[in-house]
């Protein structure tokens, strides 16, 4: 199942024009429908898309985007000027169908995929490289985790939706 772009996707996408420059190397991790990578390409970046879900990889390849199947950085061999990630960030919800869980559920607490990502991401950034993420008020301890991993960060935007607030962060070393 390919994640249908939603409020989180749009909030993150809206920031790309402020950070993507022509010729920049950009990785869109968890590309899903390709909404972020298509915008980065439109803005002139040299893009790579990756997703753990083969269906998403096949989908974006059809949109003429270079894409690989990868669990986070498992199959990524390069460094980037910008890494974009709209991760699965919600706590486990027993009633959620298995196929949509891959897009929405970050683990039991909700922050597990994000923690794994942040532990690895600094090794895939060029000098002065940046990370853009989106997550929810339901994702626990994000500021604490970022501080513990010695990242700098800045909130770029937020949006209140039904039972949660979404946040877009810029992160750098
Ligand atoms: C919330 S969706 C975001 C999709 C799209 N980027 C957007 O902004 O609408 C999360 C995406 O991350 C992918 N994903 C989940 N776990 C992953 C992992 N460990 N490594 C890579 N991609 C992952 C899912 O398959 C899904 O496509």
């Amino acid at each position: 199942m390919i994640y249908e772009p939603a409020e989180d996707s749009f909030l993150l996408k809206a920031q790309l024009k402020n950070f993507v420059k022509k010729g920049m190397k950009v990785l869109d991790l968890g590309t899903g429908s390709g909404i972020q990578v298509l915008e980065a390409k439109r803005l002139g970046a040299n893009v790579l898309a990756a997703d753990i879900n083969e269906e998403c990889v096949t989908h974006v390849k059809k949109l003429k985007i270079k894409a690989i199947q990868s669990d986070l950085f498992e199959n990524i061999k390069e460094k980037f000027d910008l890494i974009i990630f709209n991760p699965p960030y919600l706590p486990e919800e027993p009633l959620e169908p298995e196929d949509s869980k891959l897009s929405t559920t970050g683990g039991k607490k909700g922050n597990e995929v994000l923690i794994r990502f942040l532990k690895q991401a600094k090794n895939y950034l060029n000098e002065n490289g940046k990370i853009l993420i989106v997550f929810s008020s339901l994702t626990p301890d994000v500021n604490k985790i970022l501080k513990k991993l010695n990242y700098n960060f800045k909130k770029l935007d937020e949006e209140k939706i039904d039972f949660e607030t979404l946040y877009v962060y810029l992160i750098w070393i």
Side-chain angles (χ1 to χ4, degrees), residues 151-163:
Y151 281 109
N152 301 294
F153 57 95
K154 183 181 165 190
K155 183 180 76 182
L156 299 173
D157 202 2
E158 65 178 88
E159 183 180 344
K160 193 161 175 9
I161 54 171
D162 303 332
F163 301 104

Side-chain angles (χ1 to χ4, degrees), residues 7-121:
E7 288 92 339
D8 51 356
S9 318
F10 302 128
L11 202 64
L12 179 59
K13 181 188 166 193
Q15 288 298 329
L16 299 190
K17 62 181 179 303
N18 301 325
F19 296 96
V20 176
K21 307 276 174 262
K22 274 207 173 77
M24 211 181 219
K25 271 186 77 179
V26 174
L27 172 66
D28 178 27
L29 199 51
T31 195
S33 64
I35 177 171
Q36 314 298 341
V37 76
L38 287 168
E39 175 71 352
K41 188 179 175 189
R42 190 185 71 79
L43 293 164
N46 174 2
V47 296
L48 176 66
D51 205 291
I52 197 170
N53 182 352
E54 191 67 52
E55 190 185 354
C56 301
V57 175
T58 306
H59 167 75
V60 295
K61 277 184 178 168
K62 283 186 192 148
L63 303 173
K64 305 225 176 334
I65 299 287
K66 189 175 156 200
I68 57 170
Q69 193 273 333
S70 183
D71 176 0
L72 298 178
F73 295 95
E74 193 180 26
N75 298 323
I76 309 274
K77 308 283 176 244
E78 309 158 60
K79 294 193 178 196
F80 299 88
D81 303 308
L82 182 69
I83 299 173
I84 305 163
F85 193 26
N86 176 0
Y89 52 67
L90 294 174
E92 201 163 82
E93 166 59 70
L95 296 179
E96 170 127 29
E98 279 304 321
D99 59 350
S100 67
K101 256 190 189 170
L102 196 56
S103 292
T104 59
T105 305
K108 219 177 180 48
K109 291 202 282 181
N111 61 13
E112 290 88 337
V113 172
L114 196 53
I115 292 174
R116 276 209 296 135
F117 165 78
L118 289 169
K119 282 185 174 166
Q120 300 172 30

